[in-house]
């Protein structure tokens, strides 16, 4: 498993604004979109391309285009939705699948309440979007779900990650040698007793969409 905590001054700047409790929802959504685009640039380093021949107005040349079938982007509802636009801007031809997962506030265990994905993901590169890698439970369940459907490789993009979450995902797939990459904008300090990332940014879904 590969872990990439992306260090970049623009990411650090935008993350600091995102964390600030005084940042309102519209600004939070805008920053999330911008952060995802920056993280997605790193997360797509191994995206599959094929060589093609084209003609410029000046001469013949060769280049690359994304392989078919296109990658599948899977935002985890609800907070992952806030990351979709930034990712879709970078890969407009990607197919989008949805996975609704919620974690129980007491047990912190995830359960799936919605699933809109192609039945067969054989050979497909998948990108999971979930802003907060906290306990890792949701991500582990989502990764298992996609590999069970045949995914070729999986890259998870998180805005923030907790060491506990990274360790849990590493442990869950330690002996399986599966192509999994985690890309995050920051490795924070720890989880608190309620499963929130510290210093974190609070509840990402609430901050994106309000408390409902
Ligand atoms: N989910 C969130 O929205 N925030 C956290 O800090 C942890 C999980």
């Amino acid at each position: 498993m590969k872990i990439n905590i992306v260090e970049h001054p623009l990411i650090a700047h935008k993350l600091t604004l995102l964390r600030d409790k005084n940042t309102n929802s519209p600004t939070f959504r805008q920053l999330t979109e911008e952060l995802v685009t920056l993280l997605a640039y790193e997360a797509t380093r191994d995206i599959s391309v094929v060589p093609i021949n084209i003609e410029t107005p000046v001469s013949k040349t060769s280049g690359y285009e994304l392989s078919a079938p296109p990658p599948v982007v899977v935002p985890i509802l609800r907070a992952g939705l806030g990351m979709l636009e930034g990712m879709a801007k970078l890969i407009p031809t990607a197919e989008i699948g949805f996975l609704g997962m919620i974690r129980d506030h007491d047990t912190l265990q995830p359960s799936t309440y919605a699933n809109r994905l192609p039945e067969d993901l054989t050979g497909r590169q998948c990108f999971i979007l979930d802003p907060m890698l906290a306990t890792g439970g949701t991500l582990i369940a989502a990764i298992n779900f996609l590999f069970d459907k045949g995914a070729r490789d999986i890259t998870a993009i998180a805005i923030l990650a907790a060491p506990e979450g990274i360790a849990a995902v590493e442990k869950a797939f330690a002996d399986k040698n599966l192509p999994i990459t985690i890309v995050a904008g920051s490795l924070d300090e720890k989880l608190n007793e309620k499963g929130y990332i510290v210093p974190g940014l609070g509840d990402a879904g609430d901050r994106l969409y309000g408390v409902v």
Side-chain angles (χ1 to χ4, degrees), residues 79 103 132 134 191 195-198 200-205:
R103 63 175 190 161
M132 309 299 274
L191 287 184
Y196 279 90
I197 297 178
V198 180
L201 49 75
D203 187 301

Side-chain angles (χ1 to χ4, degrees), residues 4-8 11-12 15 18 31-45 83 86-87 90 127 129-131 155-160 182-186:
N4 183 357
I5 309 296
V6 185
E7 286 184 18
H8 190 288
I11 291 180
L15 255 183
L18 197 77
L31 286 165
T32 301
E33 187 180 324
E34 291 166 6
L35 277 162
V36 172
T37 306
L38 292 169
L39 293 173
Y41 177 77
E42 282 296 324
T44 51
R45 277 197 184 277
M83 301 171 73
M87 189 72 182
L90 208 63
F127 293 88
L129 308 179
D130 195 359
T155 300
I157 307 179
I159 306 278
L160 301 183
I182 295 177
V183 175
S186 167

Side-chain angles (χ1 to χ4, degrees), residues 182-196:
I182 295 177
V183 175
S186 167
L187 181 60
D188 274 19
E189 196 184 316
K190 61 175 183 180
L191 287 184
N192 70 13
E193 64 291 347
K194 290 187 175 151
Y196 279 90

